[in-house]
Structures are given as C-alpha cells and as structure tokens.
Coordinates of all heavy atoms in Angstrom, one line a residue:
M1 N 0.9 -1.2 0.0 CA 0.0 0.0 0.0 C 0.9 1.2 0.0 O 1.4 1.7 1.0 CB -0.9 0.0 1.2 CG -1.9 1.1 1.3 SD -2.9 1.3 -0.1 CE -3.8 2.8 0.3
A2 N 1.1 1.8 -1.2 CA 2.0 2.9 -1.3 C 1.3 4.3 -1.1 O 2.0 5.3 -0.9 CB 2.6 2.9 -2.7
R3 N 0.0 4.3 -1.1 CA -0.8 5.6 -1.1 C -0.7 6.2 0.3 O -1.0 5.5 1.3 CB -2.2 5.4 -1.5 CG -3.0 6.6 -1.8 CD -4.2 6.4 -2.6 NE -4.0 6.3 -4.0 CZ -3.8 7.3 -4.8 NH1 -3.8 8.6 -4.3 NH2 -3.5 7.2 -6.1
K4 N -0.3 7.4 0.4 CA -0.1 8.1 1.7 C -1.1 9.3 1.8 O -1.4 9.9 0.8 CB 1.3 8.7 1.7 CG 1.9 8.8 3.0 CD 3.4 9.2 3.0 CE 3.7 9.8 4.3 NZ 4.9 10.5 4.4
A5 N -1.6 9.5 3.0 CA -2.7 10.6 3.1 C -2.1 11.8 3.8 O -1.3 11.7 4.7 CB -3.8 10.0 3.9
Y6 N -2.6 12.9 3.3 CA -2.2 14.2 3.9 C -3.5 14.9 4.3 O -4.4 15.0 3.4 CB -1.4 15.1 3.0 CG -0.1 14.4 2.6 CD1 0.0 13.7 1.4 CD2 1.0 14.5 3.4 CE1 1.2 13.0 1.1 CE2 2.2 13.9 3.0 CZ 2.3 13.2 1.9 OH 3.5 12.6 1.5
F7 N -3.6 15.4 5.5 CA -4.9 15.9 6.0 C -5.1 17.4 6.0 O -4.2 18.1 6.3 CB -5.2 15.3 7.4 CG -5.1 13.8 7.4 CD1 -3.9 13.2 7.9 CD2 -6.1 13.0 6.9 CE1 -3.8 11.8 7.8 CE2 -6.0 11.7 6.8 CZ -4.9 11.0 7.3
G8 N -6.3 17.8 5.6 CA -6.6 19.2 5.6 C -8.0 19.4 6.2 O -8.7 18.5 6.4
P9 N -8.3 20.7 6.4 CA -9.6 21.0 7.1 C -10.8 20.8 6.3 O -11.9 20.5 6.8 CB -9.5 22.5 7.5 CG -8.5 23.0 6.5 CD -7.6 21.9 6.2
I10 N -10.7 20.8 5.0 CA -11.9 20.7 4.1 C -11.7 19.4 3.2 O -12.7 18.6 3.2 CB -12.0 21.9 3.2 CG1 -12.2 23.2 4.1 CG2 -13.3 21.7 2.3 CD1 -12.4 24.5 3.3
V11 N -10.6 19.2 2.6 CA -10.4 18.0 1.9 C -9.0 17.5 2.3 O -8.1 18.2 2.7 CB -10.4 18.2 0.4 CG1 -11.9 18.5 -0.1 CG2 -9.5 19.2 -0.1
D12 N -8.8 16.1 2.1 CA -7.5 15.5 2.3 C -7.0 15.2 0.9 O -7.7 15.2 -0.1 CB -7.6 14.2 3.1 CG -8.2 14.4 4.4 OD1 -8.1 15.6 5.0 OD2 -8.8 13.5 5.0
V13 N -5.7 15.0 0.8 CA -5.1 14.6 -0.5 C -4.3 13.3 -0.2 O -3.6 13.2 0.8 CB -4.1 15.7 -1.0 CG1 -3.3 15.2 -2.2 CG2 -4.9 17.0 -1.3
S14 N -4.5 12.3 -1.1 CA -3.6 11.1 -1.0 C -2.7 11.1 -2.2 O -3.0 11.6 -3.2 CB -4.4 9.9 -0.8 OG -5.1 9.6 -2.0
D15 N -1.6 10.4 -2.0 CA -0.5 10.4 -3.0 C 0.1 9.1 -3.1 O 0.5 8.5 -2.1 CB 0.6 11.5 -2.5 CG 1.8 11.5 -3.4 OD1 1.6 11.4 -4.6 OD2 2.9 11.6 -2.8
D16 N 0.2 8.6 -4.3 CA 0.9 7.3 -4.6 C 2.2 7.6 -5.3 O 2.1 7.7 -6.6 CB -0.1 6.4 -5.4 CG 0.4 5.0 -5.4 OD1 1.6 4.7 -5.1 OD2 -0.4 4.1 -5.7
R17 N 3.2 7.9 -4.6 CA 4.5 8.4 -5.2 C 5.0 7.7 -6.4 O 5.4 8.3 -7.4 CB 5.6 8.4 -4.1 CG 6.1 9.7 -3.5 CD 6.1 11.0 -4.2 NE 4.9 11.4 -4.7 CZ 4.8 12.3 -5.8 NH1 5.9 12.7 -6.3 NH2 3.7 12.7 -6.3
P18 N 5.0 6.3 -6.4 CA 5.6 5.6 -7.6 C 4.8 5.9 -8.9 O 5.4 5.7 -10.0 CB 5.4 4.2 -7.2 CG 5.4 4.2 -5.7 CD 4.7 5.4 -5.3
L19 N 3.6 6.4 -8.8 CA 2.8 6.7 -10.0 C 3.2 8.0 -10.7 O 3.0 8.2 -11.9 CB 1.3 6.7 -9.8 CG 0.6 5.4 -9.3 CD1 -0.9 5.7 -9.1 CD2 0.8 4.3 -10.3
C20 N 3.8 8.9 -9.9 CA 4.1 10.3 -10.4 C 5.0 10.3 -11.6 O 6.0 9.6 -11.6 CB 4.7 11.1 -9.2 SG 5.2 12.8 -9.7
I21 N 4.6 11.1 -12.6 CA 5.5 11.2 -13.8 C 6.2 12.6 -13.8 O 6.7 13.0 -14.8 CB 4.7 11.0 -15.1 CG1 3.5 12.0 -15.2 CG2 4.2 9.5 -15.2 CD1 2.8 12.0 -16.5
H22 N 6.1 13.3 -12.7 CA 6.9 14.6 -12.6 C 6.5 15.6 -13.6 O 7.4 16.3 -14.1 CB 8.4 14.3 -12.5 CG 8.7 13.3 -11.5 ND1 8.6 13.5 -10.1 CD2 9.0 11.9 -11.6 CE1 8.9 12.4 -9.4 NE2 9.1 11.4 -10.3
S23 N 5.2 15.8 -13.8 CA 4.8 16.8 -14.8 C 4.9 18.2 -14.2 O 4.9 19.2 -14.9 CB 3.3 16.5 -15.2 OG 2.5 16.7 -14.0
G24 N 4.8 18.3 -12.9 CA 4.9 19.6 -12.2 C 3.5 20.3 -12.2 O 3.5 21.4 -11.7
V25 N 2.5 19.7 -12.6 CA 1.1 20.3 -12.6 C 0.8 20.8 -11.2 O 0.3 21.9 -11.0 CB 0.1 19.3 -13.2 CG1 -1.3 19.9 -12.9 CG2 0.3 19.1 -14.7
C26 N 1.0 19.9 -10.2 CA 0.6 20.2 -8.8 C 1.5 21.4 -8.3 O 1.0 22.3 -7.7 CB 0.8 19.0 -7.9 SG 2.4 18.2 -8.0
L27 N 2.8 21.3 -8.6 CA 3.7 22.3 -8.0 C 3.4 23.7 -8.6 O 3.5 24.7 -7.9 CB 5.2 21.9 -8.4 CG 5.6 20.5 -7.9 CD1 7.0 20.2 -8.4 CD2 5.4 20.4 -6.4
R28 N 3.1 23.7 -9.9 CA 2.8 25.0 -10.6 C 1.4 25.5 -10.2 O 1.2 26.7 -10.1 CB 2.9 24.9 -12.1 CG 4.3 24.9 -12.6 CD 4.4 25.0 -14.1 NE 3.5 24.0 -14.8 CZ 4.0 22.8 -15.1 NH1 5.3 22.5 -14.9 NH2 3.2 22.0 -15.7
G29 N 0.5 24.5 -10.0 CA -0.9 24.9 -9.8 C -1.2 25.4 -8.4 O -2.0 26.4 -8.3
M30 N -0.5 24.9 -7.4 CA -0.8 25.3 -6.1 C 0.5 25.2 -5.2 O 0.6 24.3 -4.4 CB -1.9 24.5 -5.5 CG -3.0 25.4 -5.0 SD -4.5 24.6 -4.4 CE -5.0 25.8 -3.2
P31 N 1.5 26.1 -5.5 CA 2.8 26.0 -4.8 C 2.7 26.1 -3.3 O 3.7 25.6 -2.6 CB 3.6 27.1 -5.4 CG 2.6 28.0 -6.2 CD 1.4 27.2 -6.4
D32 N 1.6 26.7 -2.8 CA 1.5 26.7 -1.3 C 1.3 25.3 -0.7 O 1.7 25.0 0.4 CB 0.3 27.6 -1.0 CG 0.7 28.9 -0.3 OD1 1.9 29.3 -0.6 OD2 -0.1 29.5 0.3
V33 N 0.5 24.5 -1.4 CA 0.1 23.2 -0.9 C 1.2 22.2 -1.3 O 1.5 21.3 -0.5 CB -1.2 22.8 -1.5 CG1 -1.5 21.3 -1.1 CG2 -2.3 23.7 -1.0
F34 N 1.8 22.3 -2.5 CA 2.7 21.3 -3.0 C 4.1 22.0 -3.1 O 4.3 22.9 -3.9 CB 2.3 20.8 -4.4 CG 0.9 20.2 -4.4 CD1 -0.2 20.8 -4.9 CD2 0.8 18.9 -3.8 CE1 -1.4 20.2 -4.9 CE2 -0.5 18.3 -3.8 CZ -1.6 19.0 -4.3
D35 N 5.0 21.6 -2.3 CA 6.4 22.2 -2.2 C 7.3 21.1 -1.9 O 7.4 20.6 -0.7 CB 6.4 23.3 -1.2 CG 7.7 24.0 -1.1 OD1 8.7 23.5 -1.7 OD2 7.8 25.0 -0.4
V36 N 8.1 20.7 -2.9 CA 9.0 19.5 -2.7 C 10.2 19.8 -1.7 O 10.8 18.9 -1.3 CB 9.6 19.0 -4.0 CG1 8.5 18.4 -4.8 CG2 10.3 20.1 -4.8
R37 N 10.4 21.1 -1.4 CA 11.5 21.4 -0.5 C 11.0 21.3 1.0 O 11.8 21.5 1.9 CB 12.0 22.8 -0.7 CG 12.7 23.0 -2.1 CD 12.8 24.4 -2.5 NE 11.4 25.0 -2.5 CZ 11.2 26.3 -2.9 NH1 12.2 27.1 -3.3 NH2 10.0 26.8 -2.9
R38 N 9.7 21.1 1.2 CA 9.2 21.1 2.5 C 8.8 19.7 2.9 O 8.5 18.8 2.0 CB 8.0 22.0 2.5 CG 7.3 22.3 3.8 CD 6.0 23.1 3.6 NE 5.1 22.3 2.8 CZ 4.2 22.8 2.0 NH1 4.0 24.1 1.9 NH2 3.4 22.0 1.3
R39 N 8.8 19.3 4.2 CA 8.2 18.1 4.6 C 7.1 18.4 5.6 O 7.3 19.1 6.6 CB 9.3 17.2 5.3 CG 10.3 16.7 4.3 CD 9.7 15.6 3.4 NE 10.7 15.2 2.4 CZ 10.8 15.8 1.2 NH1 10.1 16.8 0.8 NH2 11.7 15.3 0.3
P40 N 5.9 17.8 5.4 CA 5.5 17.0 4.3 C 5.4 17.9 3.0 O 5.0 19.1 3.1 CB 4.2 16.4 4.6 CG 3.6 17.4 5.6 CD 4.7 18.0 6.4
W41 N 5.7 17.3 1.9 CA 5.7 18.1 0.6 C 4.3 18.5 0.2 O 4.1 19.5 -0.5 CB 6.4 17.4 -0.5 CG 5.6 16.4 -1.2 CD1 5.3 15.1 -0.7 CD2 4.9 16.5 -2.4 NE1 4.6 14.5 -1.6 CE2 4.3 15.3 -2.7 CE3 4.8 17.5 -3.4 CZ2 3.6 15.0 -3.9 CZ3 4.1 17.3 -4.5 CH2 3.5 16.1 -4.8
T42 N 3.3 17.7 0.7 CA 1.9 18.0 0.4 C 1.2 18.4 1.7 O 1.2 17.7 2.6 CB 1.2 16.8 -0.2 OG1 1.8 16.4 -1.4 CG2 -0.3 17.0 -0.4
D43 N 0.6 19.7 1.7 CA 0.0 20.2 2.9 C -1.4 20.8 2.6 O -1.5 22.0 2.4 CB 0.9 21.2 3.5 CG 0.4 21.7 4.9 OD1 -0.7 21.2 5.3 OD2 1.0 22.6 5.5
P44 N -2.4 20.0 2.6 CA -3.8 20.5 2.3 C -4.3 21.4 3.4 O -5.3 22.0 3.2 CB -4.7 19.2 2.3 CG -3.7 18.1 2.3 CD -2.4 18.5 2.9
S45 N -3.6 21.6 4.5 CA -4.1 22.5 5.5 C -3.9 23.9 5.0 O -4.5 24.9 5.5 CB -3.3 22.3 6.8 OG -2.0 22.9 6.7
R46 N -3.2 24.1 3.9 CA -3.0 25.4 3.3 C -4.2 25.7 2.4 O -4.2 26.8 1.7 CB -1.7 25.5 2.6 CG -0.6 25.5 3.6 CD 0.8 25.3 3.0 NE 1.8 25.2 4.0 CZ 2.7 26.2 4.3 NH1 2.6 27.3 3.6 NH2 3.6 26.0 5.2
A47 N -5.1 24.8 2.2 CA -6.3 25.1 1.4 C -7.5 25.1 2.4 O -8.3 24.2 2.4 CB -6.5 24.0 0.4
G48 N -7.5 26.1 3.3 CA -8.4 26.1 4.4 C -9.7 26.9 4.2 O -10.5 27.1 5.1
T49 N -9.9 27.5 3.0 CA -11.2 28.1 2.7 C -11.8 27.3 1.6 O -11.2 26.6 0.8 CB -10.9 29.6 2.2 OG1 -10.3 29.5 0.9 CG2 -10.1 30.4 3.1
P50 N -13.2 27.5 1.4 CA -13.9 26.8 0.3 C -13.3 27.1 -1.0 O -13.2 26.2 -1.9 CB -15.3 27.3 0.5 CG -15.5 27.7 1.9 CD -14.1 28.2 2.3
E51 N -12.9 28.3 -1.3 CA -12.3 28.7 -2.6 C -11.0 28.0 -2.8 O -10.7 27.5 -3.9 CB -12.1 30.2 -2.6 CG -13.3 31.1 -2.6 CD -14.0 31.2 -1.3 OE1 -13.4 30.9 -0.2 OE2 -15.2 31.5 -1.2
L52 N -10.1 28.0 -1.8 CA -8.8 27.3 -1.9 C -9.0 25.8 -2.1 O -8.3 25.1 -2.8 CB -7.9 27.6 -0.8 CG -7.4 29.0 -0.8 CD1 -6.6 29.3 0.6 CD2 -6.4 29.3 -1.9
A53 N -10.0 25.2 -1.4 CA -10.3 23.8 -1.5 C -10.8 23.5 -2.9 O -10.4 22.4 -3.5 CB -11.4 23.4 -0.5
D54 N -11.6 24.4 -3.5 CA -12.0 24.1 -4.9 C -10.8 24.2 -5.8 O -10.8 23.4 -6.8 CB -13.1 25.2 -5.3 CG -14.5 24.8 -4.9 OD1 -14.7 23.7 -4.5 OD2 -15.3 25.7 -5.0
R55 N -9.9 25.1 -5.6 CA -8.7 25.2 -6.4 C -7.9 23.9 -6.3 O -7.4 23.4 -7.3 CB -7.9 26.4 -6.0 CG -6.7 26.6 -6.8 CD -6.2 28.0 -7.0 NE -5.0 28.1 -7.8 CZ -4.9 27.8 -9.1 NH1 -6.0 27.6 -9.8 NH2 -3.7 27.9 -9.7
L56 N -7.8 23.4 -5.1 CA -7.0 22.2 -4.8 C -7.7 21.0 -5.6 O -7.0 20.2 -6.2 CB -7.0 22.0 -3.3 CG -6.2 20.7 -2.9 CD1 -4.7 20.8 -3.4 CD2 -6.2 20.6 -1.4
R57 N -9.0 21.0 -5.5 CA -9.7 19.9 -6.2 C -9.4 20.0 -7.7 O -9.2 19.0 -8.4 CB -11.2 20.0 -6.0 CG -11.8 19.7 -4.7 CD -13.3 19.8 -4.6 NE -13.8 19.5 -3.3 CZ -14.2 20.4 -2.4 NH1 -14.1 21.7 -2.7 NH2 -14.7 20.0 -1.2
E58 N -9.4 21.2 -8.2 CA -9.2 21.4 -9.7 C -7.7 21.0 -10.0 O -7.5 20.3 -11.0 CB -9.4 22.9 -10.0 CG -9.4 23.3 -11.5 CD -8.0 23.8 -11.9 OE1 -7.4 24.6 -11.1 OE2 -7.5 23.5 -13.0
V59 N -6.8 21.4 -9.2 CA -5.3 21.1 -9.5 C -5.1 19.6 -9.4 O -4.5 19.0 -10.3 CB -4.4 21.9 -8.6 CG1 -3.0 21.4 -8.7 CG2 -4.5 23.4 -8.9
V60 N -5.6 19.0 -8.4 CA -5.4 17.6 -8.2 C -6.1 16.8 -9.3 O -5.6 15.8 -9.8 CB -5.9 17.1 -6.8 CG1 -6.1 15.6 -6.7 CG2 -5.0 17.6 -5.7
G61 N -7.2 17.4 -9.8 CA -8.0 16.7 -10.9 C -7.2 16.7 -12.2 O -7.4 16.0 -13.1
R62 N -6.2 17.6 -12.3 CA -5.3 17.7 -13.5 C -4.1 16.9 -13.4 O -3.2 16.9 -14.3 CB -5.0 19.2 -13.8 CG -6.2 19.9 -14.4 CD -5.9 21.2 -15.0 NE -5.6 22.3 -14.0 CZ -4.4 22.8 -13.8 NH1 -3.3 22.5 -14.5 NH2 -4.2 23.8 -12.9
C63 N -3.8 16.2 -12.2 CA -2.6 15.4 -12.1 C -2.7 14.3 -13.2 O -3.7 13.5 -13.1 CB -2.6 14.8 -10.7 SG -1.4 13.5 -10.5
P64 N -1.8 14.2 -14.1 CA -2.0 13.3 -15.2 C -1.7 11.9 -14.9 O -2.1 11.0 -15.7 CB -0.9 13.9 -16.3 CG 0.1 14.5 -15.4 CD -0.6 15.1 -14.2
S65 N -1.1 11.6 -13.8 CA -0.7 10.2 -13.5 C -1.6 9.5 -12.6 O -1.6 8.3 -12.5 CB 0.7 10.2 -12.9 OG 0.6 10.7 -11.6
G66 N -2.5 10.2 -11.9 CA -3.3 9.6 -10.9 C -2.6 9.4 -9.6 O -3.1 8.8 -8.7
A67 N -1.4 10.0 -9.5 CA -0.7 9.9 -8.2 C -1.5 10.6 -7.1 O -1.6 10.0 -6.0 CB 0.7 10.4 -8.3
L68 N -1.9 11.8 -7.4 CA -2.7 12.6 -6.4 C -4.1 12.3 -6.5 O -4.7 12.1 -7.6 CB -2.4 14.1 -6.7 CG -1.0 14.6 -6.4 CD1 -0.9 16.1 -6.8 CD2 -0.5 14.3 -5.0
R69 N -4.8 12.3 -5.4 CA -6.2 12.0 -5.4 C -6.8 12.8 -4.2 O -6.2 12.9 -3.1 CB -6.5 10.5 -5.1 CG -7.9 10.1 -5.5 CD -7.8 8.6 -5.8 NE -7.8 7.8 -4.5 CZ -7.6 6.5 -4.4 NH1 -7.3 5.8 -5.5 NH2 -7.6 5.9 -3.2
I70 N -8.0 13.5 -4.5 CA -8.7 14.2 -3.4 C -9.5 13.2 -2.6 O -10.1 12.3 -3.2 CB -9.7 15.2 -4.0 CG1 -8.9 16.4 -4.6 CG2 -10.7 15.7 -3.0 CD1 -8.3 17.4 -3.6
E71 N -9.4 13.3 -1.3 CA -10.2 12.4 -0.4 C -11.1 13.4 0.3 O -10.7 14.2 1.2 CB -9.3 11.7 0.6 CG -8.1 10.9 0.0 CD -8.5 9.7 -0.8 OE1 -9.7 9.3 -0.7 OE2 -7.7 9.2 -1.6
E72 N -12.4 13.4 -0.1 CA -13.4 14.3 0.5 C -13.7 13.8 1.9 O -13.7 12.6 2.2 CB -14.7 14.2 -0.4 CG -14.5 14.8 -1.8 CD -14.3 16.3 -1.8 OE1 -14.6 17.0 -0.8 OE2 -13.9 16.8 -2.9
H73 N -14.1 14.8 2.7 CA -14.5 14.5 4.1 C -16.0 14.1 4.0 O -16.8 14.8 3.4 CB -14.4 15.7 5.0 CG -13.0 16.0 5.3 ND1 -12.7 17.1 6.1 CD2 -11.8 15.5 4.8 CE1 -11.3 17.2 6.2 NE2 -10.8 16.3 5.4
H74 N -16.4 13.0 4.5 CA -17.8 12.6 4.5 C -18.3 12.6 5.9 O -17.7 12.2 6.8 CB -17.9 11.2 3.9 CG -17.4 11.1 2.5 ND1 -18.1 11.7 1.4 CD2 -16.3 10.5 1.9 CE1 -17.4 11.4 0.3 NE2 -16.4 10.7 0.6
S75 N -19.5 13.3 6.0 CA -20.1 13.4 7.3 C -20.7 12.0 7.7 O -21.2 11.3 6.8 CB -21.1 14.5 7.3 OG -22.4 13.9 7.5
H76 N -20.6 11.7 8.9 CA -21.2 10.4 9.4 C -22.4 10.6 10.2 O -22.9 9.8 10.9 CB -20.1 9.6 10.2 CG -18.9 9.3 9.5 ND1 -18.9 8.3 8.5 CD2 -17.7 9.9 9.4 CE1 -17.6 8.3 8.0 NE2 -16.9 9.2 8.5
A77 N -23.0 11.8 10.0 CA -24.3 12.1 10.7 C -25.4 11.2 10.2 O -25.5 10.8 9.1 CB -24.6 13.6 10.5
Ligands
SF4_101 S1 0.7 16.6 -10.9 FE1 0.8 14.4 -10.4 S2 2.2 13.6 -11.9 FE2 2.5 15.8 -11.9 S3 4.2 16.1 -10.4 FE3 2.3 16.3 -9.3 S4 1.9 14.3 -8.5 FE4 3.4 14.0 -10.1

C-alpha cells in the first residue's frame, strides 16, 4: 500500500508516489500546498477556505498520472 494521506480542514489529499510522472502540474498549480522542499511536501491545511479547497480539487484533478487524489470528508451524521 503505497498511497499516503495528507490531511486538511476541508479535503484531504492522498499520494501514490511511484505513479508520479513529474509533470509539475501540482507544483505550478498550487505551490502553497505542493512544495518539494518542505516536509511534508503536500499540505492540504493550506487550502483552508472553500475557494482554496475548490482550487485544490481542480489542480489535483489535473494530475496526469493519478498519483494525487482528493479524499473528500464525508459526514457520518
Ligand atoms: S501533478 Fe501528479 S504527476 Fe505531476 S508532479 Fe504532481 S503528483 Fe506528479
């Protein structure tokens, strides 16, 4: 199980590193959230408003390899 989860207040992001083809879509699209010089390199806590979460959904949706995936929060009410 290579997929790793990173947690944010609105959405989480999971990442399966071996799938990444290094297109840079994530790094260019949302450099605040995706920064390879930082640990953890993926930080969805930086997408803490609905607008930023939508942008994160859009950027992750453009990941060409499927390495990145949005994990929505589901209410258990
Ligand atoms: S967008 Fe996807 S394939 Fe491209 S660098 Fe990011 S994780 Fe890798």
Side-chain angles (χ1 to χ4, degrees):
M1 181 57 182
R3 193 163 277 280
K4 211 174 154 189
Y6 300 94
F7 301 103
I10 300 178
V11 293
D12 302 335
V13 172
S14 70
D15 174 41
D16 193 341
R17 253 331 53 207
L19 295 181
C20 176
I21 57 170
H22 307 288
S23 66
V25 167
C26 54
L27 306 177
R28 284 192 303 273
M30 236 173 148
D32 249 23
V33 172
F34 302 103
D35 181 350
V36 291
R37 293 163 304 183
R38 188 189 58 211
R39 290 293 174 270
W41 81 281
T42 296
D43 184 4
S45 76
R46 291 166 185 256
T49 66
E51 292 74 21
L52 288 171
D54 275 349
R55 176 148 181 77
L56 182 56
R57 288 183 181 99
E58 186 264 319
V59 168
V60 166
R62 286 193 286 115
C63 169
S65 69
L68 295 179
R69 199 159 77 191
I70 289 287
E71 310 290 346
E72 295 288 346
H73 293 183
H74 298 291
S75 112
H76 297 285

